[in-house]
Amino acid sequence: MQHVSGGNDSMISRRGFLRASSAAGLLASQPLRSLAHAAETASGLVPGAFVDVASARGVDFLHQAPHSPRKYLLETMGSGVALFDYDNDGRLDIFLVNGAPFGDFVPKGTIPQKTAPKYWNRLYHQKPDGTFEDVTVKAGLAGFGYGMGAAVGDYDNDGFADLYVTALGGNRLYRNNGDGTFTDVTEKAGVAGSGWSTSAAWVDLDNDGHLDLVVLRYIQWDWDDVWCGPPNNRGYCHPDVFQPISMLVYRNNGDGTFTESAHRMGLDKPAKALGIAIADYDRDGHIDIAVANDSMLEFLFHNKGNGTFEEVGLEAGIAVDGDGRTFAGMGVDFADYNNDGWPDLVMDDLANQVYSLYSSDHDGTFAYNSYASGITGATLLHSGWGLRFMDYDNDGWKDLVIAQAHDLDTIRRSFPNLHYREPPMLLRNVNGKRFVNVGPLSGDVFHQRWVGRGLAIGDIDNDGRLDVVITENGGPAHVLMNRTPTANHWIGFKLVGHRSNRDGIGAVIRVDTASGSQWVTVTTASSYMSSSDVRAHFGIGAETVLKAVEIRWPSGIVQKLTNVPGDQYLRVDEPAKG
């Protein structure tokens, strides 16, 4: 990794940081290149090439999802994954969230306990040879309760990534000690929460330089024993049976403690929330929040810039689908897929509902674009959970990768054309205008049927190609290494805030190339109950040097770099002033 000091010029110095492989390393697989070329010639598309290396690399995780005759809704949900470099060695590590046992009848107020190691959450440390070792015990991250999601952010600005884990019945904040271990500081910090928490996001809501914490909750539910379905065939209840519940918002006090402030900030609207993503959708300099809700209106919280938010989903055009109907919103991402400088929004849902793509109209509203983009035809019979925009072949256009499966293991009894287990989906972005499913051409993993749930992206081997980790409900984790043959170039940025939060979360990076500009909002959030690599990644096609880079920090500082070489991860420190 190279380093850029604070300032407006691209003063680049080598300071011992890891530098990723150059473009030459991207061309190592000539047999794959030949196969990809043949597929491209036959279909007019450029497929990916992904290989699941979880078992070979030592990631032997198996998610525990007990099932009972009472069909508790919890059984269907699965859990998330976090990709982050917890020890600052330049290599991404993998944290996986796990379930816990419960009986056939569970009394109200029960918090499931992790009674055996198979129920532990797991942290896998990546070694220099690319294999992983289980360091859960050493790190102190076995966890509590029935785990759901993970969110990564450096809340105390000490340079080490901290970890928040959501669960049913009690969340946990783990402070990174910087020596390979974590300390549970939940009670001191005041962020335990209550109820059934799902996704969470670290984001500086008030631009004071400290990351705040937004924690979603799903429904008002406490092992409610509700019979749904005919008398002789009990099934899982629809979310409509249960009441919504508001999210929790913890404002960072800057001293290691937090104050719950959802009501004060206007973020306490009752929801059935599963996914969260952040971006400045109206480009007013304040970060906004999108929330994917299950079977009710989707939410968009506009940051008013005075410490409060206003929910504007209906007015903005993202609350319902193109036919004015609600849907089972689960995964969400907020990114500029058509390179026009304005963040767009995508949410997935259950089969027969189609995934929803909302394109920014540049005025604070969105147009429903699933039909014109081809997403409707590609997704009608599929059910999506974790998803992210990612440029898998570095051509400069953000593609979509989606973890899929239905929530009902008996779905084929009612709908023979649908499936409980599904392959993941890879949708190629064609010049920002349409998406085409290239999964069937992109490796055996896209033909395997999984109970997909969480999904995180990041460059695990630092070769400039984004990799993917997918979790299953009651199944193994999958580490999908990106082996796509391509001559395209790339660049990644690791921001270090000083007036802004240390991670630079909420910063907007623009890169300019001869073929146009691209924008990325720095975040670890999005997807479904998962946390991705904080480094901002750009595919830059044939470019080898970026003529201009602009970084708009959360503090308001604007930093400009020129003549930045590609094919590297570049550390950029926030300057004292713009």
Side-chain angles (χ1 to χ4, degrees):
M1 180 185 293
Q2 290 190 342
H3 173 273
V4 172
S5 62
N8 290 334
D9 296 323
S10 55
M11 299 186 299
I12 300 174
S13 61
R14 298 182 182 178
R15 302 267 297 272
F17 296 102
L18 174 69
R19 175 168 179 151
S21 61
S22 66
L26 303 181
L27 305 179
S29 179
Q30 291 303 321
L32 282 176
R33 169 179 286 278
S34 299
L35 290 173
H37 178 71
E40 179 182 357
T41 301
S43 65
L45 301 174
V46 180
F50 289 81
V51 179
D52 186 359
V53 302
S55 179
R57 298 285 182 90
V59 179
D60 55 357
F61 178 80
L62 182 65
H63 179 259
Q64 301 297 316
H67 283 60
S68 76
R70 296 181 185 269
K71 296 287 186 179
Y72 292 119
L73 196 56
L74 177 70
E75 302 169 16
T76 69
M77 304 304 289
S79 55
V81 54
L83 269 176
F84 70 120
D85 180 6
Y86 78 91
D87 58 349
N88 290 347
D89 65 356
R91 295 182 294 272
L92 290 179
D93 310 298
I94 302 174
F95 178 77
L96 293 156
V97 186
N98 208 347
F102 52 83
D104 288 347
F105 174 75
V106 185
K108 288 183 178 295
T110 298
I111 298 177
Q113 301 299 318
K114 296 185 181 298
T115 56
K118 71 177 182 178
Y119 297 107
W120 290 354
N121 305 327
R122 294 286 174 176
L123 177 64
Y124 292 91
H125 173 251
Q126 186 180 174
K127 297 188 290 186
D129 64 358
T131 62
F132 290 85
E133 59 180 334
D134 186 337
V135 295
T136 305
V137 174
K138 175 185 176 183
L141 292 176
F144 299 88
Y146 198 104
M148 299 300 293
V152 173
D154 183 3
Y155 78 89
D156 54 0
N157 291 329
D158 68 350
F160 292 93
D162 307 300
L163 179 66
Y164 189 75
V165 183
T166 65
L168 173 69
N171 308 322
R172 288 293 184 272
L173 174 60
Y174 298 98
R175 181 182 181 274
N176 190 333
N177 299 318
D179 60 359
T181 69
F182 291 78
T183 298
D184 185 341
V185 296
T186 309
E187 301 307 322
K188 174 185 175 183
V191 294
S194 61
W196 184 350
S197 298
T198 55
S199 293
W202 290 101
V203 53
D204 186 356
L205 297 174
D206 51 8
N207 287 350
D208 66 352
H210 300 283
L211 289 176
D212 308 301
L213 179 62
V214 181
V215 182
L216 304 186
R217 293 188 288 182
Y218 185 37
I219 51 176
Q220 296 184 37
W221 184 86
D222 188 5
W223 301 103
D224 297 318
D225 187 15
V226 181
W227 186 291
C228 293
N232 61 346
N233 186 21
R234 186 168 185 165
Y236 294 109
C237 292
H238 192 278
D240 288 350
V241 173
F242 307 103
Q243 293 299 308
I245 187 170
S246 64
M247 69 176 75
L248 300 168
V249 180
Y250 296 102
R251 185 181 180 277
N252 191 332
N253 298 321
D255 60 359
T257 68
F258 293 77
T259 300
E260 207 289 306
S261 304
H263 178 70
R264 183 184 69 79
M265 301 183 79
L267 291 167
D268 60 342
K269 187 170 183 176
K272 297 179 181 179
L274 291 175
I276 184 170
I278 64 169
D280 179 7
Y281 77 92
D282 57 351
R283 305 205 313 187
D284 65 353
H286 305 289
I287 206 74
D288 309 299
I289 301 171
V291 174
N293 286 320
D294 189 357
S295 302
M296 60 175 285
L297 298 177
E298 312 303 326
F299 286 171
L300 178 61
F301 289 97
H302 175 244
N303 189 334
K304 296 162 69 174
N306 61 359
T308 67
F309 289 75
E310 179 183 12
E311 203 286 301
V312 297
L314 276 172
E315 298 92 322
I318 65 92
V320 294
D321 67 13
D323 295 322
R325 298 173 301 190
T326 59
F327 53 87
M330 294 183 288
V332 59
D333 200 7
F334 219 159
D336 177 17
Y337 79 89
N338 53 8
N339 293 345
D340 64 0
W342 295 78
D344 310 296
L345 191 64
V346 65
M347 297 185 188
D348 57 21
D349 48 33
L350 293 178
N352 292 329
Q353 294 181 331
V354 313
Y355 305 166
S356 292
L357 179 67
Y358 303 94
S359 302
S360 174
D361 275 340
H362 306 175
D363 59 1
T365 67
F366 295 79
Y368 188 80
N369 202 27
S370 292
Y371 303 122
S373 67
I375 282 183
T376 295
T379 67
L380 177 60
L381 299 180
H382 298 282
S383 301
W385 298 74
L387 84 168
R388 284 298 304 262
F389 284 109
M390 57 170 274
D391 185 356
Y392 70 83
D393 64 345
N394 291 332
D395 69 344
W397 298 100
K398 298 176 185 68
D399 313 296
L400 263 174
V401 61
I402 309 157
Q404 300 189 130
H406 208 277
D407 63 334
L408 303 180
D409 54 5
T410 58
I411 187 61
R412 298 201 71 185
R413 296 178 186 174
S414 303
F415 298 92
N417 60 329
L418 304 182
H419 298 275
Y420 175 52
R421 295 177 175 272
E422 291 192 54
M425 179 175 285
L426 184 64
L427 295 177
R428 178 174 175 77
N429 183 343
V430 183
N431 300 323
K433 299 184 182 301
R434 61 189 179 96
F435 287 86
V436 179
N437 184 8
V438 297
L441 301 173
S442 299
D444 182 61
V445 297
F446 294 98
H447 295 269
Q448 297 178 16
R449 295 185 178 274
W450 303 333
V451 189
R453 292 296 188 261
L455 179 150
I457 62 171
D459 187 358
I460 293 174
D461 54 1
N462 290 321
D463 70 347
R465 292 171 291 186
L466 289 173
D467 309 300
V468 183
V469 179
I470 292 176
T471 66
E472 288 197 53
N473 186 39
H478 303 278
V479 180
L480 309 186
M481 300 302 296
N482 187 346
R483 300 290 184 245
T484 304
T486 177
N488 291 328
H489 300 275
W490 57 277
I491 191 166
F493 296 92
K494 175 66 172 73
L495 301 190
V496 179
H498 295 286
R499 286 180 55 187
S500 301
N501 66 86
R502 174 84 181 199
D503 288 330
I505 286 176
V508 178
I509 305 175
R510 188 193 79 211
V511 301
D512 297 332
T513 70
S515 58
S517 300
Q518 298 177 54
W519 290 258
V520 165
T521 300
V522 177
T523 181
T524 61
S526 296
S527 191
Y528 170 81
M529 294 200 287
S530 297
S531 189
S532 293
D533 185 1
V534 72
R535 296 178 296 182
H537 174 273
F538 295 84
I540 56 175
E543 302 288 323
T544 57
V545 177
L546 294 171
K547 60 181 181 180
V549 175
E550 180 182 272
I551 303 170
R552 292 185 175 270
W553 293 85
S555 64
I557 290 173
V558 178
Q559 183 177 13
K560 297 182 179 180
L561 315 172
T562 58
N563 300 319
V564 180
D567 300 319
Q568 62 165 324
Y569 283 106
L570 187 66
R571 169 175 161 159
V572 183
D573 278 80
E574 181 180 21
K577 60 182 180 179

